[in-house]
Amino acid sequence: MRWAILAATIATFGYAGATSDAFAQSKAPESAAAADPASAIEQGVAPNDLLRMTSPPNAAPDRTYETPEAALQQADIDYLVREGRRQLAEGSTDAVWIVAVFADDIASGRYDDARAVLGRAPGGLNSGVSDMLEPFLFAAEGRVDRGAERVDAAADNLPAPLPEVARALVFESAGRLQEAAAVYALMVERLDTTPPGDAEPQNTEEFERALNAPRVTHAVYRAALVSHRLGRREEARRYYDIVAGFAPRSADVQANIARLNAGQEPFEAALTPVSATGRWLIFLSEYLTQAEMLTQMLSQQAPEPGFASENGTALLQLGVLLAGDANDWRLYAAQQALGAQGVDGAQRIIDQLPATSVFAPDAEIVRASIQLERNNDDAAIAAAERALGLAGDRWSVIASVGDIYRRAGHADRAIPAFNRALEMATTPKDRADVLGWRAYAHRFAGNLSAASADARAAYEIDPSVDTRLLYVSILMDDPNGWNEGIAMARALFAEQPDSVLRLNALGYALIQRPEGLEEGYRLLWRGFNYGQTDYAVIDSLGWAYYLYGHFEQARALIERANDLSVNDPNAEVLDHLGDIYWRLNRRDDARRVWRQALDARPDAIRRRDLEQKVQRGLTTPAPRRRELPQVNLPDAPSQREDL
């Protein structure tokens, strides 16, 4: 049932992966609302100022992009609206254009035009797009009860708690907080508010819990805000506590609990019809992105470069512009753009976050990451210093500053920052997290003994899955800790033997030593059989082939792993690929990818090795070709296209 709902929603918005050339192919529906494009789709109308805030400076009105994704990488919603009007005028019925133009019209108070735009969707005002958006148009027109009825009429099209959220947002937008609170109370009563565990889900219930966690957290936080605004302190506190159980380090929750204790209103502004529409688009964005990612996962599709979901990204970027105080989601939108290689767009998104926000230090961390991506380490350090000055008692921000220092190659600054964060963290889980970050910083700087000591200390106070996986990853490289790492990896694997993550952790740790190569190879083939789009296990298996001297098979696998990590080039994968090219007598290709590995900011030990390889090539003997162990799995691929 749930999968059918996900699939239906994807079909409603479906254009993922299409280019702009595909957007004008549909014939406009024959409906009265769409019959007069002059009123609803005015060419040359400048988008509302809210939707122009992240546009590139001095951008020409007639600018174009090859794909909508390229515009989203630049966070150019102004373009998306203008192009939407052009596309709709030419007969397109794609949902992304309809939503963009609808958002502009409702922000500008052009309500008749907004309804006419909805009428252009396949199915007109009875379409899935209209079901999701018209309630907010009714609210903007002052017909709040009609908006709530419209939500109820389409409630079966979305999973819980989204229908309840939409209804409550409609009431919130009109200041009818008592009714919104009643809807939220019923919603919370029906929700599973148990936070997901730290291990991978092992059954349907755990999977659904993990899947729904972001939506539950977001929805319950809205319930907390309404109760807080109504002065219902105990109810608000209970809701905030639920959110904190899912996200214990949330700056907004901590700030609002402090304000609740002081008898003050929440720091967020009360909703208007426009900001409620923005909040709703954010809810839809999270849901749609997750749905499209699930589709890819279940169909074994390889991840594409760029955004996980163009549809979800478009809704998110529209949403944070309409809901100006959605700064937690603004942070996420900037990080999302940065991860899709939209560095300039990420900068413009994060620059909309005000300096007075509770998320101001987090914004500086994002700015630091942007500067690292631009290879401007001095600017990254400056942003990290600003975050440090704003951090107050937020140890997680201080630890994030330490990680910026690490990434910039300043272990001398990173370790003191982690030390400071460790003094401030109080719970075992938090202290283990800081110790894990510090262990990785030591490992990155080449201090293996200090890294292992921190990994052991973290495990002693918090034997969670995450901590134990870190323990394995640190100790597998330590000559004095390999046996301990293997023992831990075996214990993790025994708990969940069908986990690709745990198979890879044990298999890759094993092949670090000759005595573990055969067992590791067999395990990694099993992991590959489970996770043929997981670049980590594909790289690990490819490296096992390399160690057996089967360089063509290794090349096929590690080229595939490199393709799958295209959004975030991995120094280790590139290093492996360079070694394979060298053994295949492709010396120029080897040096090219080794240089790419150096650009990907490897750790100190790998950096030294890579620099030597670029200068001298491989000076160690090639692994001797040996017969591969037999495995009861499909035959190994011999060519890249076989993958």
Side-chain angles (χ1 to χ4, degrees):
M1 289 291 289
R2 184 174 298 277
W3 178 247
I5 295 171
L6 292 174
T9 301
I10 294 166
T12 299
F13 279 91
Y15 78 98
T19 63
S20 56
D21 291 341
F23 293 149
Q25 300 303 314
S26 304
K27 181 179 182 293
E30 297 178 2
S31 68
D36 181 14
S39 61
I41 310 164
E42 298 177 51
Q43 302 263 359
V45 175
N48 185 279
D49 285 345
L50 284 175
L51 302 182
R52 305 175 72 182
M53 292 173 67
T54 56
S55 302
N58 305 315
D62 60 348
R63 64 193 178 279
T64 60
Y65 296 91
E66 289 187 6
T67 63
E69 180 177 56
L72 292 168
Q73 286 174 320
Q74 294 295 315
D76 195 350
I77 294 299
D78 170 77
Y79 166 82
L80 209 66
V81 173
R82 292 173 187 266
E83 180 66 6
R85 291 192 181 281
R86 188 185 72 79
Q87 292 280 351
L88 294 181
E90 292 183 3
S92 173
T93 59
D94 286 286
V96 66
W97 305 130
I98 291 170
V99 175
V101 175
F102 173 86
D104 180 42
D105 284 339
I106 199 169
S108 302
R110 296 190 293 264
Y111 302 144
D112 289 344
D113 290 354
R115 182 162 282 106
V117 167
L118 292 181
R120 297 184 70 82
L125 293 176
N126 295 316
S127 68
V129 174
S130 297
D131 286 346
M132 286 183 265
L133 297 180
E134 194 178 23
F136 294 89
L137 179 55
F138 280 124
E141 293 169 330
R143 295 191 282 169
V144 178
D145 291 328
R146 181 70 186 93
E149 291 169 2
R150 185 73 174 85
V151 172
D152 293 342
D156 291 340
N157 291 340
L158 289 171
L162 291 184
E164 293 92 337
V165 169
R167 198 163 191 266
L169 288 174
V170 165
F171 286 130
E172 271 196 81
S173 73
R176 290 166 57 171
L177 300 186
Q178 300 276 2
E179 289 151 293
V183 175
Y184 282 133
L186 186 59
M187 174 197 77
V188 174
E189 185 180 318
R190 293 172 175 171
L191 285 176
D192 179 359
T193 56
T194 306
D198 66 338
E200 296 162 275
Q202 298 191 52
N203 53 50
T204 302
E205 182 181 10
E206 290 181 2
F207 181 75
E208 294 232 344
R209 190 171 287 152
L211 203 64
N212 294 337
R215 204 168 309 134
V216 170
T217 310
H218 193 186
V220 177
Y221 185 68
R222 293 272 7 133
L225 291 178
V226 169
S227 292
H228 187 164
R229 215 175 293 282
L230 286 168
R232 300 176 180 177
R233 297 180 59 177
E234 293 310 311
E235 190 173 70
R237 192 182 312 281
R238 181 168 70 88
Y239 293 153
Y240 284 135
D241 286 345
I242 291 173
V243 177
F246 283 81
R249 301 166 193 160
S250 299
D252 48 357
V253 174
Q254 294 169 2
N256 272 332
I257 288 176
R259 294 179 70 87
L260 184 70
N261 292 339
Q264 299 171 335
E265 291 271 300
F267 67 82
E268 292 96 340
L271 290 187
T272 66
V274 171
S275 63
T277 304
R279 288 282 178 180
W280 178 237
L281 292 179
I282 293 169
F283 270 100
L284 291 178
S285 162
E286 183 276 325
Y287 170 58
L288 192 58
T289 299
Q290 190 181 82
E292 292 188 6
M293 290 176 69
L294 275 172
T295 300
Q296 288 185 353
M297 181 183 74
L298 294 179
S299 61
Q300 293 273 326
Q301 296 176 33
E304 295 287 335
F307 296 105
S309 165
E310 290 179 11
N311 303 292
T313 300
L315 295 185
L316 176 62
Q317 290 191 15
L318 283 162
V320 297
L321 290 175
L322 293 181
D325 64 351
N327 288 315
D328 49 347
W329 290 96
R330 184 164 282 107
L331 281 169
Y332 176 64
Q335 292 166 334
Q336 191 184 72
L338 183 61
Q341 303 175 357
V343 178
D344 293 339
Q347 183 78 62
R348 285 191 290 274
I349 291 170
I350 206 63
D351 285 348
Q352 301 306 313
L353 194 147
T356 55
S357 170
V358 298
F359 296 106
D362 307 86
E364 295 298 345
I365 296 296
V366 174
R367 289 188 179 97
S369 296
I370 290 169
Q371 295 302 335
L372 287 174
E373 199 66 27
R374 290 171 170 160
N375 292 314
N376 190 341
D377 289 1
D378 289 343
I381 294 296
E385 295 287 350
R386 292 194 297 271
L388 203 58
L390 295 168
D393 61 356
R394 291 182 61 196
W395 67 263
S396 58
V397 172
I398 297 168
S400 295
V401 169
D403 201 51
I404 295 296
Y405 291 149
R406 175 200 61 83
R407 292 167 63 193
H410 288 277
D412 57 326
R413 297 189 186 187
I415 300 304
F418 290 128
N419 293 344
R420 180 178 163 188
L422 191 60
E423 291 173 358
M424 300 169 68
T426 56
T427 69
K429 174 62 176 168
D430 291 346
R431 291 181 61 78
D433 284 350
V434 179
L435 284 165
W437 271 325
R438 195 173 73 180
Y440 190 57
H442 282 308
R443 170 67 183 81
F444 201 80
N447 190 341
L448 298 181
S449 60
S452 295
D454 275 348
R456 292 185 182 103
Y459 170 65
E460 285 178 9
I461 61 175
D462 174 50
S464 66
V465 172
D466 287 344
T467 302
R468 288 184 287 156
L469 285 168
L470 172 97
Y471 184 102
V472 173
S473 70
I474 295 292
L475 271 72
M476 78 165 71
D477 291 328
D478 185 346
N480 299 315
W482 184 78
N483 286 322
E484 291 176 68
I486 292 297
M488 182 67 73
R490 289 193 190 283
L492 281 162
F493 173 66
E495 292 172 4
Q496 200 166 339
D498 59 351
S499 162
V500 175
L501 182 64
R502 299 182 193 210
L503 277 164
N504 184 55
L506 177 55
Y508 193 58
L510 282 164
I511 67 172
Q512 302 307 305
R513 296 274 187 92
E515 60 266 36
L517 180 57
E518 181 175 340
E519 182 186 0
Y521 171 85
R522 294 179 189 278
L523 283 167
L524 291 169
W525 248 115
R526 181 175 172 183
F528 173 75
N529 204 44
Y530 289 160
Q532 296 186 22
T533 59
D534 186 316
Y535 82 83
V537 76
I538 294 170
D539 172 71
S540 298
L541 179 60
W543 194 240
Y545 270 101
Y546 173 87
L547 295 172
Y548 270 107
H550 290 252
F551 303 135
E552 273 296 336
Q553 289 94 329
R555 177 196 60 78
L557 286 159
I558 295 183
E559 282 182 342
R560 171 67 166 167
N562 189 45
D563 289 345
L564 291 171
S565 62
V566 67
N567 267 357
D568 186 19
N570 185 285
E572 188 168 15
V573 173
L574 290 163
D575 188 9
H576 288 166
L577 187 56
D579 286 9
I580 292 165
Y581 285 154
W582 187 270
R583 301 304 184 193
L584 292 171
N585 226 17
R586 295 170 55 176
R587 304 296 170 85
D588 290 342
D589 287 337
R591 286 193 166 94
R592 173 178 55 81
V593 295
W594 284 332
R595 290 189 187 99
Q596 290 174 2
L598 283 168
D599 290 341
R601 296 181 180 269
D603 61 65
I605 296 172
R606 191 175 300 278
R607 174 170 290 279
R608 286 194 297 269
D609 289 345
L610 285 164
E611 287 169 347
Q612 290 179 2
K613 290 175 186 177
V614 169
Q615 290 176 1
R616 307 175 196 167
L618 282 175
T619 58
T620 56
R624 177 175 57 86
R625 185 180 176 92
R626 289 174 287 161
E627 186 176 347
L628 293 166
Q630 292 296 313
V631 291
N632 295 322
L633 290 168
D635 290 337
S638 59
Q639 299 297 326
R640 183 180 182 190
E641 53 268 26
D642 292 340
L643 294 168

